[in-house]
Amino acid sequence: MTKPYLELQGLSKSYDGRTRALDGVDLTAAKGEFITFLGPSGSGKTTTLMLIAGFEAASAGEILVDGAPITHVPPHKRGIGIVFQNYALFPHRTALGNVMFPLEMRKVPKTQAVEKARAMLALVGLERLAERHPREMSGGQQQRVALARALVFDPALLLLDEPLGALDKNLREQLQIEIKRIQRSLGVTTIFVTHDQSEAMAMSDRIVVFKGGRIQQAGTPLEIYNRPVNDFVARFVGDSNLLPLLLTDPTAGIGEIAGIGPVRVPAQPGRKAGEAATLLLRPEGLGLAGEGAINTCRMQVETVVHYGDSALLVGHAGQTALRARLPGLVAQGITSNMEIVLSWNPASAHLMPAVMRDGFQNS
Amino acid sequence: MSAVPAPARGSLGPWLLLAPLMVFLAVFFVVPLAQVAVMSVSDPEWGLGHYAEIATDGFHLRVLADTFFTALVVSFCCLLLGFPLAYAMAAASPGWAAVMMVVVTMSFWTSFLVRTYAWMVLLGTRGPIARVVEWLGFATPELLFTRFSSTVAMTHILLPYMVLSLYGVLKRIEPSLPRSAASLGATPSSVIRHVVLPLAAPGIVNGLTLVFVLCLGFYVTPILLGSPREQMVAGVIGQQVEEFLAFGEASAMAVVLLASTLVVLGLYHRRFGLDRLWG
Amino acid sequence: MRLALILLGAVVLAFVATPLLIVVPMSFSTAVSLEFPPPGWWTGYYAAYFGDARWTKPTLNSLGIAAAVAVLTVALVTPATFAVVRHRFVGKGLVNLALMLPLAVPHIVMAIGYYAFLADIQLLQTFPGIILAHTALSVPMAFLVLSANLKGFDRGLERAALSLGASPARTFLHVTLPVLWPGFAAAALFAFVQSFDETVVALFISGRDTETLPRKMFDSIRTTADPVIAVVSTLLFFAVAVLVIVPVLWRAASRRRLEPRP
């Protein structure tokens, strides 16, 4: 593994000495990586960002950038570019004035500063609006100015705190692509905070899922999606069926699901017969059973939602609740109160620790 | 969250920032005020003589009672006049509302003296009202230097306080509330009675308190166009100092006036909390 | 009922507006005493005002005093406002209350107090005496205005400035102050107008040489009902008009000018 560029070691934060907003966070990031902090509100993702930025002091732990600890460095000396949720553009300065601000603070000579600032505005496609004040610009334009301002001084890191939350869907998707493109071309290590899982999936090299002040899982988008380590991650990213399963023959890879019967799962050589587990089956992994299909189940369809390109079937097999997503053309004839036979490929399901009866999980 | 990590509890920072102002107020506000209290019991000789006099002397008690009564009358007149205006302002289109706001604000900022003078013109024997009355065939009315002229002028001067207080609450009523009341069957007057008025209550109380307290201590207008035989407290205090140099007596009355004001504000604070008064 | 309320409101508006407007024609009247409608029109009393030192001196006195009061008030109130709005400390509620206290005391009470106090420290009927008294009386409103502005200030701007490399001191200078200046201006304006219009205390603590305009007006109205009062009133009225109407027009114009363009 290449030398880590950003390291978080045992980072903890408590505001009142009792509850921990952050509880021992460990993370490394390589230079140029685009990492997304994903999680619900209160999960600790924004707190971690604030600690990295220096606006909050850690209760314990260290933060290292390129090998050097910055844990006790005041925020104005950290050289980290930040894009805030509400942009925080200086209302009394033009777009150009805003972008020039960090260069002025670093005593860059005026002509050079103007040149660099203009170049950065051009990079985000706003060279025409250089003389405008923030209140004369739309939300999307302000966001891009904020980005230019945060990048113009070649920061060690770029932090983005839910920057696209206030924008409408189309604009958001446009800016997601923009941000990714700029980040790629500049190669700056980036941390992006969001609660929107599709945004995280679209933009990240790696996703870090937060819950309760702890990291639940860190991995590539596909890893997070296809092999979540627990039911929280499984449910947070994408739609899921979490089916309680009993391992009847672990070495051969056979288990039993109530209401469905015996199913094939990936072989589990280390485990004992009779152990409980959870099978993660994404709805799109289910298809209409063909001839000689394995892993079949009979599903009572209660509701069908046709999206055009696909259809979501909600129902149950026995007492086990089930959700299936079929391609639109295939699902055309299906209505509620029908019984259909579905099947899935054992390799596309994922085995996870068992979820206990009261909803908690061993992990 | 602070831009710099917040200083530890009990740090010196805020007190250093507050010091100049607090010291200034201690010297140039508290001391003069304290002197009034001291003079009330020390001039011309030590003792509570002035207070005894106030409590027993018919003159002083009458002045106090008159002042309270006038303040009450003015407060309620301000409410009766102010509510329709505030309501109209809140209900008007933005253009008209702006015009009305400009008028009210201008009245608010125009000096008491200027407005008092204007009322002297309006109510004078050669003023427009007198002319109209004469033209209608009646005797020339003597409106100035009466309790009436003083009350009307004070109402006019204090009206903006009431209007602005009411407008603030009325404007904050979500338009969906009266509309949902209407959809549930309330007639327009019911909506006003059961939705608007209760929601406006804090503004009403605020306005009444503010106007009452300001009216209690009113000096300029009652002296210039009030009745010389029915003075208000502030005028009496001023007269005792100016004409008789009776500092002790004046101070005692001043303390009584201040105490009354503080009692009213204290009652308000008990019930609502004073920070609500300033909005 | 709604219509009745609105009509009544319009009537009240006329009640509010009429006395304000009546001073203007009075200032051009040829009458020697209060008379409306005026018997004739001329600008003689304007000439009388501008040419008479007995009126111009108090005017200049008041302007100078009010300016000094505005500066002193803002200087004292600013650090205190930052302390109260941005710090948590024991006794904050009491401090808040203490700063508002001068508003609760009737001016006549303070007037006698200042009369005795300033006499004791030999500042009676002097400019410094008046300035100090007026400043104490202006503090609450200035504090209210400034703290409202400060509370509405977006702290994120300061954090952004820090992240961009500005030290806390430079952040205050380059970001906090420039964005906050309307609050300072408003506080200074409140203090200025308070002092300029203040009558009661000035009656007791200003002297012949340090006479303020309100004192002159008060004495005038009381003794002679000098028609020049109408002139002063009109001038004050227009000053207020400018004060009130200009910001409204400015805001309307800037709203039209600054709509987001594609």
Side-chain angles (χ1 to χ4, degrees):
Chain A
M1 149 102 168
T2 46
K3 179 173 143 215
Y5 188 73
L6 171 69
E7 275 184 85
L8 306 178
Q9 295 171 346
L11 221 47
S12 294
K13 174 73 184 172
S14 173
Y15 288 100
D16 56 10
R18 273 174 292 140
T19 44
R20 303 235 195 150
L22 217 56
D23 195 5
V25 166
D26 293 290
L27 186 67
T28 57
K31 189 152 198 343
E33 248 197 303
F34 191 111
I35 296 195
T36 298
F37 287 179
L38 179 67
S41 16
S43 55
K45 57 190 197 301
T46 308
T47 309
T48 310
L49 201 75
M50 290 288 132
L51 289 182
I52 300 175
F55 298 127
E56 300 275 354
S59 308
E62 290 287 324
I63 304 171
L64 295 99
V65 174
D66 207 6
I70 61 166
T71 329
H72 302 289
V73 176
H76 63 279
K77 297 213 178 108
R78 292 197 185 193
I80 297 177
I82 307 178
V83 178
F84 295 83
Q85 198 165 4
N86 68 346
Y87 324 136
L89 292 179
F90 304 134
H92 58 293
R93 286 176 165 236
T94 59
L96 188 67
N98 266 276
V99 179
M100 280 177 60
F101 186 86
L103 302 173
E104 285 170 28
M105 291 299 121
R106 287 163 172 80
K107 314 267 205 296
V108 171
K110 184 120 187 260
T111 32
Q112 245 184 289
V114 174
E115 227 185 276
K116 274 202 100 171
R118 281 199 193 275
M120 198 43 101
L121 279 174
L123 188 64
V124 298
L126 290 180
E127 60 272 23
R128 286 181 309 118
L129 303 184
E131 298 308 318
R132 292 229 193 137
H133 284 87
R135 60 184 177 275
E136 300 169 273
M137 297 191 278
S138 69
Q141 291 165 341
Q142 289 185 43
Q143 194 52 280
R144 282 188 268 164
V145 174
L147 190 62
R149 184 179 69 176
L151 289 170
V152 74
F153 58 99
D154 298 314
L157 286 176
L158 177 65
L159 307 178
L160 300 115
D161 185 9
E162 308 213 44
L164 307 178
L167 305 170
D168 66 71
K169 184 161 177 287
N170 286 329
L171 198 48
R172 219 183 310 154
E173 286 173 9
Q174 230 182 297
L175 279 173
Q176 283 167 7
I177 300 173
E178 277 289 295
I179 292 174
K180 206 59 217 284
R181 173 182 69 80
I182 295 169
Q183 189 264 348
R184 270 271 145 74
S185 69
L186 292 176
V188 58
T189 315
T190 302
I191 299 186
F192 187 94
V193 169
T194 182
H195 60 274
D196 182 335
Q197 48 107 6
S198 55
E199 196 164 70
M201 294 287 288
M203 301 179 75
S204 329
D205 294 330
R206 269 197 304 151
I207 300 179
V208 180
V209 182
F210 280 82
K211 176 177 175 242
R214 298 210 184 135
I215 293 182
Q216 303 292 306
Q217 186 173 359
T220 66
L222 284 181
E223 275 169 26
I224 301 275
Y225 187 80
N226 289 322
R227 275 176 287 286
V229 296
N230 60 31
D231 69 319
F232 172 79
V233 178
R235 270 197 273 256
F236 200 80
V237 185
D239 201 359
S240 54
N241 289 299
L242 294 169
L243 310 172
L245 177 140
L246 214 59
L247 282 167
T248 46
D249 189 349
T251 15
I254 300 182
E256 176 95 14
I257 302 178
I260 294 178
V263 294
R264 288 211 86 100
V265 296
Q268 307 284 308
R271 304 183 65 174
K272 292 194 284 251
E275 266 186 39
T278 306
L279 190 71
L280 167 65
L281 187 55
R282 298 286 185 192
E284 67 273 12
L286 286 161
L288 286 180
E291 286 273 332
I294 49 170
N295 287 354
T296 58
C297 68
R298 309 195 86 84
M299 176 179 178
Q300 282 288 108
V301 178
E302 286 160 7
T303 321
V304 186
V305 184
H306 288 283
Y307 291 102
D309 59 345
S310 63
L312 178 67
L313 311 178
V314 181
H316 50 92
Q319 326 103 302
T320 309
L322 209 59
R323 296 160 72 88
R325 194 178 273 267
L326 303 181
L329 295 170
V330 169
Q332 256 171 24
I334 302 180
T335 57
S336 47
N337 292 322
M338 279 178 80
E339 194 186 78
I340 51 176
V341 181
L342 300 170
S343 72
W344 71 91
N345 185 335
S348 68
H350 173 62
L351 218 50
M352 294 190 325
V355 179
M356 305 209 295
R357 250 173 313 139
D358 54 2
F360 287 98
Q361 188 170 46
N362 296 316
S363 55
Chain B
M1 269 192 245
S2 36
V4 255
R9 285 283 182 92
S11 76
L12 212 47
W15 293 108
L16 279 175
L17 290 173
L18 279 170
L21 185 57
M22 301 304 277
V23 168
F24 181 87
L25 284 180
V27 175
F28 292 104
F29 179 77
V30 177
V31 172
L33 195 55
Q35 265 187 282
V36 174
V38 169
M39 284 195 296
S40 72
V41 291
S42 69
D43 178 294
E45 57 195 18
W46 287 92
L48 294 170
H50 296 301
Y51 290 105
E53 206 183 317
I54 292 174
T56 55
D57 184 309
F59 170 70
H60 290 102
L61 286 176
R62 196 161 45 86
V63 167
L64 283 168
D66 277 351
T67 309
F68 263 83
F69 181 71
T70 307
L72 270 172
V73 170
V74 169
S75 305
F76 277 99
C77 286
C78 280
L79 180 60
L80 289 172
L81 291 175
F83 190 85
L85 180 51
Y87 186 89
M89 277 172 72
S93 65
W96 279 109
V99 168
M100 299 204 265
M101 182 57 111
V102 165
V103 173
V104 172
T105 311
M106 285 196 57
S107 187
F108 181 81
W109 285 88
T110 306
S111 149
F112 288 9
L113 280 172
V114 171
R115 288 188 275 169
T116 303
Y117 173 73
W119 278 103
M120 291 180 80
V121 174
L122 276 174
L123 298 174
T125 50
R126 321 262 295 275
I129 297 182
R131 304 268 179 150
V132 171
V133 169
E134 282 170 349
W135 181 76
L136 287 174
F138 298 101
T140 313
E142 296 258 343
L143 297 167
L144 269 186
F145 309 118
T146 61
R147 182 80 77 77
F148 170 77
S149 57
S150 164
T151 307
V152 167
M154 284 197 285
T155 303
H156 180 261
I157 291 176
L158 295 175
L159 196 53
Y161 289 91
M162 177 66 80
V163 171
L164 291 173
S165 175
L166 290 174
Y167 179 72
V169 277
L170 286 176
K171 205 62 186 155
R172 255 176 273 167
I173 298 180
E174 292 267 356
S176 52
L177 286 171
R179 268 185 240 153
S180 67
S183 76
L184 295 166
T187 62
S189 25
S190 283
V191 171
I192 293 182
R193 254 210 352 235
H194 292 119
V195 177
V196 177
L197 275 178
L199 286 174
I204 295 178
V205 174
N206 271 21
L208 284 175
T209 307
L210 210 51
V211 170
F212 185 81
V213 162
L214 287 171
C215 197
L216 272 187
F218 225 119
Y219 179 83
V220 170
T221 307
I223 287 197
L224 290 179
L225 44 76
S227 160
R229 268 168 293 126
E230 296 167 328
Q231 284 186 306
M232 289 180 63
V233 174
V236 170
I237 295 174
Q239 190 183 43
Q240 283 172 331
V241 171
E242 269 187 305
E243 287 180 41
F244 307 118
L245 289 177
F247 278 95
E249 215 180 315
S251 301
M253 283 290 263
V255 169
V256 172
L257 172 60
L258 178 59
S260 323
T261 309
L262 290 177
V263 163
V264 174
L265 290 175
L267 286 172
Y268 181 90
H269 182 58
R270 257 301 195 63
R271 189 76 166 72
F272 306 103
L274 265 177
D275 25 284
R276 279 233 275 151
L277 195 56
W278 329 119
Chain C
M1 207 234 214
R2 206 166 168 275
L3 195 59
L5 265 181
I6 295 183
L7 283 177
L8 195 49
V11 170
V12 176
L13 192 70
F15 173 74
V16 171
T18 313
L20 296 177
L21 297 172
I22 211 163
V23 292
V24 181
M26 284 297 289
S27 65
F28 295 104
S29 158
T30 53
V32 171
S33 60
L34 300 177
E35 195 180 318
F36 192 90
W41 306 95
W42 72 325
T43 56
Y45 288 120
Y46 278 90
Y49 168 74
F50 284 106
D52 190 351
R54 286 173 303 170
W55 281 101
T56 53
K57 184 146 200 310
T59 309
L60 291 170
N61 288 349
S62 282
L63 284 170
I65 293 172
V69 169
V71 169
L72 187 56
T73 305
V74 173
L76 287 170
V77 162
T78 300
T81 310
F82 273 86
V84 172
V85 174
R86 292 213 174 162
H87 289 80
R88 256 182 311 174
F89 55 93
V90 179
K92 184 150 108 152
L94 272 157
V95 169
N96 240 309
L97 209 61
L99 290 176
M100 291 290 106
L101 209 53
L103 276 180
V105 180
H107 280 208
I108 184 66
V109 177
M110 291 314 298
I112 357 177
Y114 281 125
Y115 187 88
F117 174 73
L118 290 175
D120 285 346
I121 59 174
Q122 320 263 11
L123 281 182
L124 193 60
Q125 302 189 348
T126 64
F127 286 118
I130 305 175
I131 293 173
L132 292 167
H134 277 186
T135 302
L137 295 174
S138 299
V139 160
M141 282 308 291
F143 174 74
L144 267 178
V145 170
L146 198 58
S147 63
N149 266 272
L150 191 56
K151 281 190 205 159
F153 180 83
D154 179 8
R155 299 297 297 272
L157 292 176
E158 289 176 341
R159 268 191 253 158
L162 284 175
S163 77
L164 296 166
S167 67
R170 303 187 79 186
T171 301
F172 184 79
L173 206 62
H174 290 271
V175 177
T176 314
L177 276 185
V179 175
L180 217 48
W181 83 260
F184 290 115
L189 193 61
F190 264 87
F192 184 91
V193 174
Q194 276 250 55
S195 168
F196 192 82
D197 282 346
E198 205 285 319
T199 313
V200 188
V201 171
L203 276 173
F204 287 84
I205 67 173
S206 66
R208 223 168 347 120
D209 291 321
T210 55
E211 199 177 21
T212 63
L213 187 59
R215 182 191 172 137
K216 173 79 185 147
M217 285 182 73
F218 183 88
D219 287 336
S220 249
I221 297 179
R222 212 178 183 186
T223 53
T224 63
D226 191 337
V228 174
I229 298 170
V231 171
V232 182
S233 302
T234 307
L235 293 171
L236 287 175
F237 172 78
F238 276 110
V240 168
V242 166
L243 246 183
V244 171
I245 296 183
V246 164
V248 173
L249 292 175
W250 172 289
R251 244 177 288 148
S254 55
R255 213 172 296 146
R256 240 177 292 131
R257 187 168 48 94
L258 298 173
E259 261 144 24
R261 288 165 283 179

PDB file of all heavy atoms in Angstrom, chain A residues 28-45:
ATOM      1  N   THR A  28      -7.141   5.666   6.887  1.00  0.00           N
ATOM      2  CA  THR A  28      -6.045   6.185   6.084  1.00  0.00           C
ATOM      3  C   THR A  28      -6.558   6.461   4.683  1.00  0.00           C
ATOM      4  O   THR A  28      -7.478   5.795   4.201  1.00  0.00           O
ATOM      5  CB  THR A  28      -4.878   5.186   5.967  1.00  0.00           C
ATOM      6  OG1 THR A  28      -5.389   3.976   5.409  1.00  0.00           O
ATOM      7  CG2 THR A  28      -4.234   4.927   7.305  1.00  0.00           C
ATOM      8  N   ALA A  29      -5.945   7.476   4.048  1.00  0.00           N
ATOM      9  CA  ALA A  29      -6.312   7.796   2.669  1.00  0.00           C
ATOM     10  C   ALA A  29      -5.048   8.057   1.879  1.00  0.00           C
ATOM     11  O   ALA A  29      -4.110   8.674   2.386  1.00  0.00           O
ATOM     12  CB  ALA A  29      -7.216   9.020   2.654  1.00  0.00           C
ATOM     13  N   ALA A  30      -5.033   7.600   0.626  1.00  0.00           N
ATOM     14  CA  ALA A  30      -3.873   7.830  -0.231  1.00  0.00           C
ATOM     15  C   ALA A  30      -4.008   9.168  -0.917  1.00  0.00           C
ATOM     16  O   ALA A  30      -5.096   9.742  -0.992  1.00  0.00           O
ATOM     17  CB  ALA A  30      -3.764   6.714  -1.269  1.00  0.00           C
ATOM     18  N   LYS A  31      -2.886   9.686  -1.429  1.00  0.00           N
ATOM     19  CA  LYS A  31      -2.933  10.984  -2.093  1.00  0.00           C
ATOM     20  C   LYS A  31      -3.810  10.908  -3.333  1.00  0.00           C
ATOM     21  O   LYS A  31      -3.713   9.977  -4.114  1.00  0.00           O
ATOM     22  CB  LYS A  31      -1.513  11.415  -2.492  1.00  0.00           C
ATOM     23  CG  LYS A  31      -1.471  12.867  -2.987  1.00  0.00           C
ATOM     24  CD  LYS A  31      -0.129  13.500  -2.742  1.00  0.00           C
ATOM     25  CE  LYS A  31      -0.090  15.008  -2.790  1.00  0.00           C
ATOM     26  NZ  LYS A  31      -1.133  15.762  -3.386  1.00  0.00           N
ATOM     27  N   GLY A  32      -4.649  11.883  -3.494  1.00  0.00           N
ATOM     28  CA  GLY A  32      -5.478  11.946  -4.689  1.00  0.00           C
ATOM     29  C   GLY A  32      -6.758  11.143  -4.596  1.00  0.00           C
ATOM     30  O   GLY A  32      -7.556  11.140  -5.518  1.00  0.00           O
ATOM     31  N   GLU A  33      -6.971  10.469  -3.464  1.00  0.00           N
ATOM     32  CA  GLU A  33      -8.193   9.675  -3.323  1.00  0.00           C
ATOM     33  C   GLU A  33      -9.405  10.546  -3.074  1.00  0.00           C
ATOM     34  O   GLU A  33      -9.301  11.593  -2.434  1.00  0.00           O
ATOM     35  CB  GLU A  33      -8.037   8.727  -2.120  1.00  0.00           C
ATOM     36  CG  GLU A  33      -7.949   7.262  -2.475  1.00  0.00           C
ATOM     37  CD  GLU A  33      -8.214   6.363  -1.281  1.00  0.00           C
ATOM     38  OE1 GLU A  33      -7.501   6.499  -0.277  1.00  0.00           O
ATOM     39  OE2 GLU A  33      -9.147   5.549  -1.359  1.00  0.00           O
ATOM     40  N   PHE A  34     -10.554  10.073  -3.569  1.00  0.00           N
ATOM     41  CA  PHE A  34     -11.809  10.759  -3.296  1.00  0.00           C
ATOM     42  C   PHE A  34     -12.582   9.876  -2.334  1.00  0.00           C
ATOM     43  O   PHE A  34     -13.069   8.820  -2.694  1.00  0.00           O
ATOM     44  CB  PHE A  34     -12.602  10.949  -4.597  1.00  0.00           C
ATOM     45  CG  PHE A  34     -13.785  11.879  -4.451  1.00  0.00           C
ATOM     46  CD1 PHE A  34     -13.776  13.110  -5.075  1.00  0.00           C
ATOM     47  CD2 PHE A  34     -14.899  11.526  -3.702  1.00  0.00           C
ATOM     48  CE1 PHE A  34     -14.864  13.988  -4.961  1.00  0.00           C
ATOM     49  CE2 PHE A  34     -15.980  12.378  -3.568  1.00  0.00           C
ATOM     50  CZ  PHE A  34     -15.957  13.610  -4.201  1.00  0.00           C
ATOM     51  N   ILE A  35     -12.679  10.325  -1.093  1.00  0.00           N
ATOM     52  CA  ILE A  35     -13.335   9.526  -0.061  1.00  0.00           C
ATOM     53  C   ILE A  35     -14.621  10.196   0.363  1.00  0.00           C
ATOM     54  O   ILE A  35     -14.650  11.408   0.578  1.00  0.00           O
ATOM     55  CB  ILE A  35     -12.417   9.380   1.160  1.00  0.00           C
ATOM     56  CG1 ILE A  35     -11.170   8.614   0.764  1.00  0.00           C
ATOM     57  CG2 ILE A  35     -13.144   8.705   2.300  1.00  0.00           C
ATOM     58  CD1 ILE A  35     -10.399   8.107   1.926  1.00  0.00           C
ATOM     59  N   THR A  36     -15.665   9.422   0.509  1.00  0.00           N
ATOM     60  CA  THR A  36     -16.925   9.973   0.985  1.00  0.00           C
ATOM     61  C   THR A  36     -17.228   9.468   2.383  1.00  0.00           C
ATOM     62  O   THR A  36     -17.127   8.271   2.643  1.00  0.00           O
ATOM     63  CB  THR A  36     -18.085   9.565   0.048  1.00  0.00           C
ATOM     64  OG1 THR A  36     -17.835  10.096  -1.239  1.00  0.00           O
ATOM     65  CG2 THR A  36     -19.409  10.108   0.557  1.00  0.00           C
ATOM     66  N   PHE A  37     -17.571  10.401   3.268  1.00  0.00           N
ATOM     67  CA  PHE A  37     -18.087  10.019   4.586  1.00  0.00           C
ATOM     68  C   PHE A  37     -19.600   9.942   4.450  1.00  0.00           C
ATOM     69  O   PHE A  37     -20.262  10.929   4.154  1.00  0.00           O
ATOM     70  CB  PHE A  37     -17.744  11.068   5.649  1.00  0.00           C
ATOM     71  CG  PHE A  37     -16.302  11.079   6.064  1.00  0.00           C
ATOM     72  CD1 PHE A  37     -15.867  11.993   6.999  1.00  0.00           C
ATOM     73  CD2 PHE A  37     -15.377  10.188   5.543  1.00  0.00           C
ATOM     74  CE1 PHE A  37     -14.537  12.026   7.415  1.00  0.00           C
ATOM     75  CE2 PHE A  37     -14.049  10.206   5.942  1.00  0.00           C
ATOM     76  CZ  PHE A  37     -13.628  11.140   6.886  1.00  0.00           C
ATOM     77  N   LEU A  38     -20.140   8.758   4.695  1.00  0.00           N
ATOM     78  CA  LEU A  38     -21.572   8.553   4.500  1.00  0.00           C
ATOM     79  C   LEU A  38     -22.208   8.136   5.805  1.00  0.00           C
ATOM     80  O   LEU A  38     -21.620   7.338   6.552  1.00  0.00           O
ATOM     81  CB  LEU A  38     -21.792   7.469   3.437  1.00  0.00           C
ATOM     82  CG  LEU A  38     -23.234   7.088   3.093  1.00  0.00           C
ATOM     83  CD1 LEU A  38     -23.951   8.245   2.419  1.00  0.00           C
ATOM     84  CD2 LEU A  38     -23.244   5.877   2.173  1.00  0.00           C
ATOM     85  N   GLY A  39     -23.383   8.653   6.107  1.00  0.00           N
ATOM     86  CA  GLY A  39     -24.052   8.217   7.317  1.00  0.00           C
ATOM     87  C   GLY A  39     -25.221   9.126   7.636  1.00  0.00           C
ATOM     88  O   GLY A  39     -25.348  10.201   7.052  1.00  0.00           O
ATOM     89  N   PRO A  40     -26.091   8.702   8.569  1.00  0.00           N
ATOM     90  CA  PRO A  40     -27.224   9.552   8.954  1.00  0.00           C
ATOM     91  C   PRO A  40     -26.748  10.732   9.803  1.00  0.00           C
ATOM     92  O   PRO A  40     -25.587  10.798  10.192  1.00  0.00           O
ATOM     93  CB  PRO A  40     -28.096   8.597   9.788  1.00  0.00           C
ATOM     94  CG  PRO A  40     -27.165   7.566  10.291  1.00  0.00           C
ATOM     95  CD  PRO A  40     -26.043   7.447   9.313  1.00  0.00           C
ATOM     96  N   SER A  41     -27.644  11.689  10.094  1.00  0.00           N
ATOM     97  CA  SER A  41     -27.213  12.827  10.919  1.00  0.00           C
ATOM     98  C   SER A  41     -26.899  12.329  12.320  1.00  0.00           C
ATOM     99  O   SER A  41     -27.549  11.443  12.847  1.00  0.00           O
ATOM    100  CB  SER A  41     -28.278  13.911  10.991  1.00  0.00           C
ATOM    101  OG  SER A  41     -29.513  13.438  10.588  1.00  0.00           O
ATOM    102  N   GLY A  42     -25.865  12.919  12.891  1.00  0.00           N
ATOM    103  CA  GLY A  42     -25.459  12.511  14.224  1.00  0.00           C
ATOM    104  C   GLY A  42     -24.538  11.311  14.223  1.00  0.00           C
ATOM    105  O   GLY A  42     -24.174  10.791  15.277  1.00  0.00           O
ATOM    106  N   SER A  43     -24.136  10.835  13.031  1.00  0.00           N
ATOM    107  CA  SER A  43     -23.318   9.625  12.979  1.00  0.00           C
ATOM    108  C   SER A  43     -21.847   9.909  13.222  1.00  0.00           C
ATOM    109  O   SER A  43     -21.073   8.985  13.452  1.00  0.00           O
ATOM    110  CB  SER A  43     -23.488   8.945  11.622  1.00  0.00           C
ATOM    111  OG  SER A  43     -23.186   9.865  10.583  1.00  0.00           O
ATOM    112  N   GLY A  44     -21.454  11.180  13.183  1.00  0.00           N
ATOM    113  CA  GLY A  44     -20.054  11.496  13.443  1.00  0.00           C
ATOM    114  C   GLY A  44     -19.290  11.912  12.205  1.00  0.00           C
ATOM    115  O   GLY A  44     -18.132  12.303  12.294  1.00  0.00           O
ATOM    116  N   LYS A  45     -19.936  11.850  11.030  1.00  0.00           N
ATOM    117  CA  LYS A  45     -19.189  12.172   9.813  1.00  0.00           C
ATOM    118  C   LYS A  45     -18.803  13.643   9.767  1.00  0.00           C
ATOM    119  O   LYS A  45     -17.665  13.993   9.417  1.00  0.00           O
ATOM    120  CB  LYS A  45     -20.000  11.785   8.578  1.00  0.00           C
ATOM    121  CG  LYS A  45     -21.349  12.427   8.496  1.00  0.00           C
ATOM    122  CD  LYS A  45     -22.168  11.798   7.372  1.00  0.00           C
ATOM    123  CE  LYS A  45     -23.352  12.661   6.981  1.00  0.00           C
ATOM    124  NZ  LYS A  45     -24.282  12.916   8.082  1.00  0.00           N
TER     125      LYS A  45
END
